[in-house]
Amino acid sequence: MGKQLVIAVLALLSAFAAGWRVNAWYSDSVELAITTAAHAAGESSRLAGEKVASESGRRLEEKLEALRDAQPTEIRTEILKPVFINECLSAEFVSMFNNAVDKAERALSGKPVNQMPGKTPAH
């Protein structure tokens, strides 16, 4: 009876140890799955952030280029080397300036030019 008791206790201890080991393996696999999912989510978030930043940078460059192109060279020339006459600014210069301002506002706001054919913009 003593020998059977020792065998039973050893069997119980080995079953307990095996269960403990299997539980450790299960915990490790769950932790690995969580870590893998976290890395995948972080990578997809990083890629999405890079895409948004690249799109934002491209849009900013387009707006800056549109602002640069909004002002005609005549306005730059007259501002850099003004022609002094009795009038401060000619009507043509004011019209060119107003058109350049309208183009700049459209470039910054992103609004397209929605004009009917034959219609002039109101100032």
Side-chain angles (χ1 to χ4, degrees), residues 54-99:
S54 137
E55 179 69 21
S56 175
R58 187 181 57 76
R59 293 173 101 191
L60 179 63
E61 287 175 3
E62 288 174 357
K63 285 186 179 186
L64 289 174
E65 186 175 329
L67 283 174
R68 197 176 319 118
D69 295 340
Q71 193 176 29
T73 57
E74 293 85 7
I75 291 178
R76 291 184 203 128
T77 304
E78 191 159 340
I79 289 174
L80 293 175
K81 296 180 181 179
V83 178
F84 295 103
I85 55 175
N86 290 340
E87 296 178 7
C88 289
L89 300 171
S90 66
E92 181 183 359
F93 179 80
V94 171
S95 175
M96 280 192 311
F97 185 77
N98 287 339
N99 288 338

Side-chain angles (χ1 to χ4, degrees), residues 2-122:
K3 194 175 192 182
Q4 289 178 343
L5 184 62
V6 171
I7 291 173
V9 170
L10 287 177
L12 187 61
L13 286 176
S14 63
F16 180 75
W20 191 280
R21 174 60 72 189
V22 170
N23 184 30
W25 290 340
Y26 176 74
S27 297
D28 289 346
S29 69
V30 168
E31 186 178 332
L32 178 64
I34 290 171
T35 303
T36 304
H39 284 298
E43 183 67 18
S44 66
S45 175
R46 184 187 63 80
L47 292 175
E50 285 178 358
K51 183 178 178 182
V52 166
S54 137
E55 179 69 21
S56 175
R58 187 181 57 76
R59 293 173 101 191
L60 179 63
E61 287 175 3
E62 288 174 357
K63 285 186 179 186
L64 289 174
E65 186 175 329
L67 283 174
R68 197 176 319 118
D69 295 340
Q71 193 176 29
T73 57
E74 293 85 7
I75 291 178
R76 291 184 203 128
T77 304
E78 191 159 340
I79 289 174
L80 293 175
K81 296 180 181 179
V83 178
F84 295 103
I85 55 175
N86 290 340
E87 296 178 7
C88 289
L89 300 171
S90 66
E92 181 183 359
F93 179 80
V94 171
S95 175
M96 280 192 311
F97 185 77
N98 287 339
N99 288 338
V101 168
D102 288 340
K103 285 181 185 178
E105 286 177 3
R106 277 193 301 275
L108 286 175
S109 67
K111 293 181 183 176
V113 180
N114 293 329
Q115 294 179 353
M116 296 290 290
K119 297 270 184 172
T120 58

